[in-house]
Amino acid sequence: MTNPLKIFCIKRGERGLALVALLVFFALNALLVGVHWKAYTDGASGGFWTIFSTRYNVSGYDCTSWYVISEGRIIFRSIRHPLYYTFLYPMYLLNSWLMKVIDVNFAVIFVGIIIIFSAVYTVIFVYRILHELLGLRRLDALLLVALLFSFGHVLLATMVPEHFAISMMLLTMTAYIVGKCMQQGRMLKSWQSMILLFFTSGIATSNGLKTIVAGGFCNGRKAFRPKFFLLGVVLPLIALMAIRQYQYQVYEVPQKKKYETIAKANEKKNGLTQQQIDAQAKWIAQNGPKHFRPSGLLYMMDFATPRIPTIIENFLGESMMLHKDYALKDTLKDRPMIVHYRSWFPYALVAVVTLIFFAGIWVGRRQKLLQMLLCWLGIDIMLNLILGFAINEVYIMASGWMFVIPVAFGYLFKSLPSKMVYPWRSVVFAITITLWIHNGQIIINHFL
């Protein structure tokens, strides 16, 4: 691969899949913004916080991208997303000019285009992994792609104005590129590692660790050679640190002073009573993260939240099959941290998917691609379940690891005798249809 952009060329056999994906994700994004289209596209010179925060509420996902493009405001931790503001800033400049000219806020449109693009290419990269790298038949690869996007919080990632769809695309692209290198017995080149690490880590720093792991799996000990390590690892990380430090000093520090004043003014304007403030604080204390320390690096860690119900109901359950009670609500506002299903059926379905996943892991345990993806999953488990980062809403991280499931399913499928092919397809098809109907109904009802 000498041209980095060649990977985005849609192959002849992928065009139908890309078209279907485009239509589905366009419909989901239209559903998200359509119900409040007039308010979201209002080109007001201010008040975007009120416009968005009073109307948008989806499972704890933020609409940070809308704020950045609407008014250049940074309301996320840039140390965790060092390139994200730089990526969105040109759209903020263009949007500011458009609002002056035609009085329309294009933030939701710009973000929607980015999310749809990312979601479509995630479909393409996952399909290529299954079809080209695992060698699955086209029908089986398509079925497993449909299974992946039937999972509740993978589907939500393709419509919410967050970085998750972008991260999912970058990670699956990395897995495809590295998998292709391993399949052909080639080394990952230093310039490839540099580009992949710069963008994956730039959108979310934890993704950069996954890219470094991928380089290690592909190149082995050669990943530590000076040329590869300096150009492919050290250089992009230094560049990201420099970009983040610049935007912090130039944009974030001045913004903090400005918006602290605005926040105080809004508190007086909104006239919240002490009773309301105390009630909200009590809710967050009960359902929000249990910070290990009040400040510093350990602030984001949570060792007090019970792990077993979190794994059952949130890490696996809610991630795959959305709960009907408190559907798509936010743990910091109106959703308890642990919500139970109404019947045994969702537990059974999640258990079946999990058991098949483990069976696929066992069958493909000697495959380097699956080993690499499992190491990626291990990083998520370490961060979210063991250290407790964002454990109160761990399901919103599902799009960063759930693409491992169809890959494991694929290895299991390849090992089955021919007489088991049809029953296998039938089981996966039934699971996929059930999840699409269940999750699709909850999502549609939430926005209509």
Side-chain angles (χ1 to χ4, degrees):
M1 186 180 71
T2 56
N3 181 4
L5 299 181
K6 189 176 180 180
I7 195 171
F8 293 102
C9 293
I10 304 295
K11 302 173 184 178
R12 184 182 297 273
E14 300 167 346
R15 291 173 186 171
L17 173 62
L19 178 60
V20 172
L22 177 64
L23 294 175
V24 171
F25 298 136
F26 177 84
L28 289 172
N29 281 265
L31 177 66
L32 174 71
V33 301
V35 67
H36 297 299
W37 175 259
K38 183 171 174 34
Y40 287 161
T41 56
D42 183 7
S45 58
F48 294 110
W49 178 269
T50 302
I51 290 173
F52 295 140
S53 64
T54 57
R55 294 171 176 84
Y56 173 87
N57 183 19
V58 185
S59 290
Y61 292 99
D62 297 320
C63 51
T64 50
S65 306
W66 290 352
Y67 291 120
V68 173
I69 298 177
S70 296
E71 56 185 1
R73 182 177 181 181
I74 304 175
I75 60 171
F76 56 88
R77 293 178 180 269
S78 61
I79 192 67
R80 300 209 310 259
H81 313 283
L83 194 63
Y84 199 40
Y85 185 73
T86 304
F87 172 67
L88 296 174
Y89 191 73
M91 285 174 274
Y92 158 66
L93 296 177
L94 176 59
N95 189 48
S96 298
W97 177 77
L98 289 171
M99 283 196 288
K100 291 178 182 178
V101 175
I102 57 178
D103 198 33
V104 174
N105 184 1
F106 282 79
V108 295
I109 298 174
F110 290 161
V111 174
I113 292 171
I114 295 168
I115 299 302
I116 292 170
F117 176 91
S118 301
V120 169
Y121 273 99
T122 300
V123 167
I124 296 300
F125 293 137
V126 172
Y127 172 77
R128 289 177 183 175
I129 290 170
L130 296 169
H131 183 53
E132 297 178 19
L133 302 186
L134 270 67
L136 295 180
R137 295 180 181 178
R138 176 179 171 81
L139 175 63
D140 299 315
L142 291 173
L143 179 58
L144 291 177
V145 169
L147 173 68
L148 172 62
F149 286 90
S150 71
F151 297 146
H153 280 268
V154 174
L155 192 59
L156 281 173
T158 66
M159 58 191 298
V160 294
E162 271 263 29
H163 68 88
F164 293 104
I166 305 172
S167 292
M168 185 164 54
M169 178 194 71
L170 292 172
L171 287 174
T172 53
M173 180 177 70
T174 300
Y176 172 67
I177 292 173
V178 173
K180 201 73 173 175
C181 288
M182 291 190 294
Q183 183 187 57
Q184 298 174 353
R186 294 185 290 108
M187 297 291 105
L188 185 70
K189 297 179 181 178
S190 56
W191 67 265
Q192 291 175 308
S193 175
M194 178 177 63
I195 294 174
L196 292 173
L197 182 57
F198 181 76
F199 285 104
T200 54
S201 190
I203 297 301
T205 51
S206 60
N207 291 342
L209 183 56
K210 296 178 181 180
T211 303
I212 294 172
V213 168
F217 265 90
C218 186
N219 291 13
R221 294 181 180 179
K222 294 180 180 179
F224 296 97
R225 288 182 174 178
K227 179 183 177 181
F228 182 88
F229 189 72
L230 291 175
L231 294 179
V233 178
V234 176
L235 182 60
L237 293 180
I238 291 176
L240 288 172
M241 290 171 60
I243 291 171
R244 190 267 168 178
Q245 191 61 24
Y246 173 81
Q247 71 184 22
Y248 179 78
Q249 296 296 336
V250 175
Y251 298 108
E252 287 189 67
V253 173
Q255 282 186 18
K256 284 183 179 179
K257 298 177 181 178
K258 173 184 175 182
Y259 287 108
E260 280 176 2
T261 304
I262 295 175
K264 292 179 181 178
N266 286 339
E267 285 180 6
K268 295 180 180 179
K269 181 181 176 181
N270 294 334
L272 292 177
T273 65
Q274 188 61 43
Q275 184 178 4
Q276 290 174 314
I277 295 173
D278 292 341
Q280 181 66 17
K282 182 179 179 181
W283 176 271
I284 293 176
Q286 291 175 343
N287 300 284
K290 311 297 188 292
H291 300 297
F292 187 65
R293 289 287 185 270
S295 62
L297 182 63
L298 296 178
Y299 172 78
M300 301 304 297
M301 306 306 161
D302 178 349
F303 299 105
T305 296
R307 266 41 179 186
I308 299 302
T310 295
I311 293 171
I312 295 172
E313 300 290 353
N314 292 341
F315 185 73
L316 293 174
E318 174 75 4
S319 297
M320 291 187 200
M321 195 170 192
L322 301 172
H323 290 79
K324 289 186 176 180
D325 294 327
Y326 301 97
L328 305 191
K329 294 188 179 296
D330 187 351
T331 56
L332 297 182
K333 295 179 181 178
D334 46 15
R335 183 192 192 274
M337 186 183 298
I338 302 298
V339 177
H340 301 283
Y341 291 109
R342 298 177 182 178
S343 70
W344 61 268
F345 180 75
Y347 294 107
L349 188 142
V350 171
V352 169
V353 173
T354 304
L355 289 173
I356 297 175
F357 177 47
F358 283 134
I361 290 174
W362 177 255
V363 170
R365 65 190 182 280
R366 292 187 176 87
Q367 303 296 324
K368 286 185 69 176
L369 176 62
L370 185 59
Q371 291 172 357
M372 181 190 80
L373 294 178
L374 290 175
C375 283
W376 286 10
L377 174 57
I379 292 171
D380 289 296
I381 291 173
M382 173 61 72
L383 288 175
N384 302 134
L385 292 180
I386 297 176
L387 297 179
F389 171 73
I391 194 171
N392 62 305
E393 50 185 14
V394 67
Y395 38 80
I396 73 172
M397 310 295 179
S399 59
W401 67 269
M402 279 198 140
F403 48 80
V404 184
I405 294 178
V407 175
F409 273 46
Y411 281 116
L412 178 61
F413 178 78
K414 287 185 63 177
S415 70
L416 296 176
S418 57
K419 64 181 180 180
M420 293 295 294
V421 170
Y422 182 76
W424 159 255
R425 285 178 183 160
S426 300
V427 170
V428 176
F429 181 77
I431 293 171
T432 302
I433 290 298
T434 301
L435 289 175
W436 267 104
I437 293 174
H438 175 90
N439 293 325
Q441 184 181 26
I442 288 176
I443 291 172
I444 291 172
N445 289 339
H446 179 78
F447 291 105
L448 293 182

